[in-house]
């Protein structure tokens, strides 16, 4: 079936640098994407989302970019801090909820972001 | 604290047994989702309920079932447990279906 994947299982960055975590998806019908952060022993924490009618969305220190042409999603974290150390998952949902209907998210396998001092 | 409460946090049980995991969604959230997280499969969607009704099924085994009660809490029942069922089980909730899920801290199930 369709799946969402990540390019790298581990990403190591220096504290203070910008981090870029990439994700490739294969379901062209997906209209909604979410990035989650999961720290050890905790549940996934919502970071930022984006709908397919947008190509960029910014939050606090985070930016999500969506390239529908090549089915690529990325998460940029500015000025990476030790507290950013976690596993990051992208997730997609092919359903448009404006008309009802529901389905679960399809998660990628995650990228472990390691912050070096 | 995400506002989604899951109990118990840890559960150890023997093969062949049955367990019930409980989830209380955030106040006001009508949708509840169950996910299984294992090392080899990652996060897998199991089932979703909306205001008491089943809305979608994912990779949920027939040995597993769930329900959502009138007070909106949900229970995931796992029966005839096998070693391979050992995993983290997460519940998530949302106000609007499919948007901005909030996850609980999970139940770690160990089948021995």
């Amino acid at each position: 079936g369709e799946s969402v994947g990540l390019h790298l299982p581990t990403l190591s960055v220096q504290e203070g640098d910008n981090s870029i975590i990439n994700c490739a998806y294969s379901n062209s019908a997906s209209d909604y994407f979410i990035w989650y952060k999961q720290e050890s022993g905790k549940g996934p924490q919502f970071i930022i989302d984006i709908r397919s009618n947008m190509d960029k969305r910014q939050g606090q220190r985070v930016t999500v970019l969506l390239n529908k042409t090549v089915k690529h999603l990325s998460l940029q974290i500015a000025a990476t801090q030790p507290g950013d150390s976690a596993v990051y998952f992208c997730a997609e949902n092919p359903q448009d909820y404006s008309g009802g209907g529901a389905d679960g998210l399809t998660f990628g396998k995650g990228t472990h972001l390691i912050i070096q001092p | 604290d995400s506002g989604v409460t899951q109990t118990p946090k840890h559960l150890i049980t023997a093969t062949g047994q049955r367990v019930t995991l409980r989830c209380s969604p955030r106040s006001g959230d009508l949708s509840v989702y169950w996910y299984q997280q294992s090392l080899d499969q990652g996060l897998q969607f199991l089932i979703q309920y909306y205001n008491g009704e089943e809305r979608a099924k994912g990779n949920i085994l027939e040995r597993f079932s769930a329900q959502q009660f009138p007070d909106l809490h949900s229970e995931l029942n796992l029966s005839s447990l096998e070693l391979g069922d050992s995993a983290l089980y997460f519940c998530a909730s949302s106000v609007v279906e499919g948007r901005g899920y909030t996850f609980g801290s999970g139940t770690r199930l160990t089948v021995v």
Side-chain angles (χ1 to χ4, degrees):
Chain A
E2 305 275 14
S3 65
V4 178
L6 290 165
H7 293 305
L8 294 174
T10 302
L11 176 64
S12 182
V13 299
Q14 294 283 336
E15 182 178 348
D17 287 352
N18 296 336
S19 301
I20 299 176
I21 300 172
N22 295 306
C23 176
Y25 66 94
S26 57
N27 189 342
S28 57
S30 294
D31 82 317
Y32 178 61
F33 304 87
I34 312 175
W35 280 100
Y36 281 93
K37 170 187 180 183
Q38 187 175 22
E39 296 174 281
S40 181
K42 298 184 179 180
Q45 177 187 354
F46 174 92
I47 302 174
I48 193 168
D49 59 1
I50 189 168
R51 295 191 68 167
S52 60
N53 60 355
M54 304 172 68
D55 53 20
K56 181 179 180 180
R57 189 159 187 233
Q58 288 184 295
Q60 186 177 14
R61 281 201 309 120
V62 294
T63 301
V64 56
L65 299 177
L66 175 63
N67 185 331
K68 295 180 287 295
T69 302
V70 295
K71 296 178 190 168
H72 184 267
L73 192 69
S74 68
L75 176 71
Q76 299 177 2
I77 304 173
T80 310
Q81 303 169 357
D84 295 328
S85 180
V87 177
Y88 290 80
F89 295 94
C90 64
E92 65 173 323
N93 194 320
Q95 296 282 346
D96 179 346
Y97 291 85
S98 61
D103 205 345
L105 295 174
T106 299
F107 281 82
K109 292 197 180 298
T111 292
H112 186 192
L113 180 62
I114 298 171
I115 314 303
Q116 295 182 340
Chain B
D1 183 7
S2 68
V4 178
T5 304
Q6 289 188 249
T7 57
K9 292 192 183 303
H10 301 277
L11 196 51
I12 301 175
T13 190
T15 55
Q17 295 297 306
R18 172 188 169 95
V19 297
T20 297
L21 312 184
R22 182 188 169 101
C23 169
S24 294
R26 286 188 318 171
S27 177
D29 286 359
L30 298 179
S31 278
V32 170
Y33 308 79
W34 286 98
Y35 284 81
Q36 179 192 58
Q37 186 176 37
S38 59
L39 285 175
D40 57 343
Q41 294 293 324
L43 272 160
Q44 298 280 318
F45 168 66
L46 295 178
I47 197 165
Q48 181 215 353
Y49 281 83
Y50 177 80
N51 202 21
E53 293 188 2
E54 182 184 303
R55 292 284 278 174
K57 271 187 172 181
N59 301 315
I60 188 166
L61 300 173
E62 287 192 8
R63 300 183 286 109
F64 297 180
S65 64
Q67 55 184 330
Q68 186 179 28
F69 295 87
D71 66 353
L72 300 178
H73 91 271
S74 178
E75 293 181 355
L76 179 66
N77 301 297
L78 314 176
S79 60
S80 302
L81 284 167
E82 302 174 359
L83 296 177
D85 297 327
S86 295
L88 275 165
Y89 290 84
F90 287 104
C91 167
S93 72
S94 66
V95 173
V96 178
E97 291 183 277
R99 295 289 184 260
Y101 290 23
T102 299
F103 280 82
S105 56
T107 293
R108 181 174 293 279
L109 173 66
T110 302
V111 182
V112 296

